[in-house]
Amino acid sequence: MNRSARAFWLASPGRGEIRDERLPEPGADEVVVRTLYSGVSRGTETLVFRGGVPVSQHEAMRAPFQEGDFPGPVKYGYLNVGVVEQGPPELAGRTVFCLYPHQSRYVVPAGAVAVVPERVPAGRAVLAGTVETAVNALWDAAPLVGDRIAVVGGGMVGCSVAALLARFPGVRVQLVDTDPARAAVAEALGVGFAAPEDALGGCDLVVHASATEQGLTRALDLLTSEGTVLELSWYGDRTVSLPLGEAFHSRRLVIRGSQVGAVSPARRGDRTYADRLALALDLLADPALDALITGESAFEELPDVLPELASGALPALCHRVRYGTGA
C-alpha cells in the first residue's frame, strides 16, 4: 500500500500550505481511501480560513477528522469523495463519500464512509454534505403542500435548500439574492428568483442563509402573520442586530435555528446520521444539482485558491478540487 499522502493545512489565518503526510497501517475495520475530489464549503471554510471561529465555538466547530486547533495550524474540511483502495470486500473498489479534509489519501473507520450510488457521478457527490444540511433543514421546517416560501441567500446551502423545495408539490419557491448571477442557478434548479427589494411577500416560511444582518431583516419582512424564518446562517464572531419591535410580536413571527450537527428532532427517533447522509446521496442523482458546482481547480492550487475564495475575488458556490490519479 502507498502510505504517503498530501494534505492542505491552514498554517495560520489567511495562509494555507500543502504538507506531506504518512498514513498509519489500517486496522481490520478501517479503509484506505484515495481521493478523487473534495469540495470547499465556501461559507464555513472561508470563515475558518480568515480565523473567524470564536473561541467559544472551537469545540462545536470541529470537523469529524480535523487535525490541529483553531485558529491554526489546522487541517479542516468535510466534503471528500474517493475510491476505497483497501478495506472490507463489500467496500473495496467502491466510490465513497467521507467527512474528511482536503487530503490525497487517508485511513478512516469503515463506518465513516458512505457508498456513493452508481447513478451519482463522483464529481457531484462532493455536494453530499451540503445537501445533507438542506435535508436536515427541511426536516426542521416541515414545509407543507402549497406553501409560499422564500430562500434568502443564494449560496451553497441556500441553493441546496431551494433545489429540494423545487420537488415539493404546489409550493411557490423563490430564491432571493443580491447577486443577479444567481438567477441562472435558480432557473437551473427550477425555482424563481428575485433581488431582495423585488421578492414576493406573504411567505409561510422563509429559509435564511445569507449570513448577513440585512438578509435576516428582509427574511422577517417577507413573512405572513405567524410565519417562520428558519435560520441556517452561521455568523462566526459577528454580532447581529434585528428589528424585533414594531409588528414582530403582533404578527407572532417565529425565528428558529437549524444546524446539521444534530439530526432534526422531527426525525431523531427513527433516523440516524447514516440514514440522513444516504438520503442526501440518493437525492444527488438529480443532474440539476450540477449548477451548484461553479468552479474547479487542482489540489496543488489550493494555497492560492482559498485566499481568492475568502476575499470574494473568486466567486463560487461549491468549488471542487480534483486530485491526480497518482496522488
Side-chain angles (χ1 to χ4, degrees), residues 10 16 19 43 48 67 77 87 92 103 117 124 132 136 142 165 169 189 200 208 210 212 223 242 260 307 327:
L10 176 63
R19 299 181 179 180
V48 169
E67 292 184 36
Q103 183 165 313
R124 190 187 303 152
E132 184 182 9
N136 207 58
L165 284 170
L189 298 177
L200 297 172
H208 179 243
S210 81
T212 67
L223 288 176
L242 281 179
V260 74

Side-chain angles (χ1 to χ4, degrees), residues 69 101 146 235 240 242 269 274 277 308:
D69 299 298
Y235 299 90
V240 176
L242 281 179
L277 180 55
E308 294 188 350

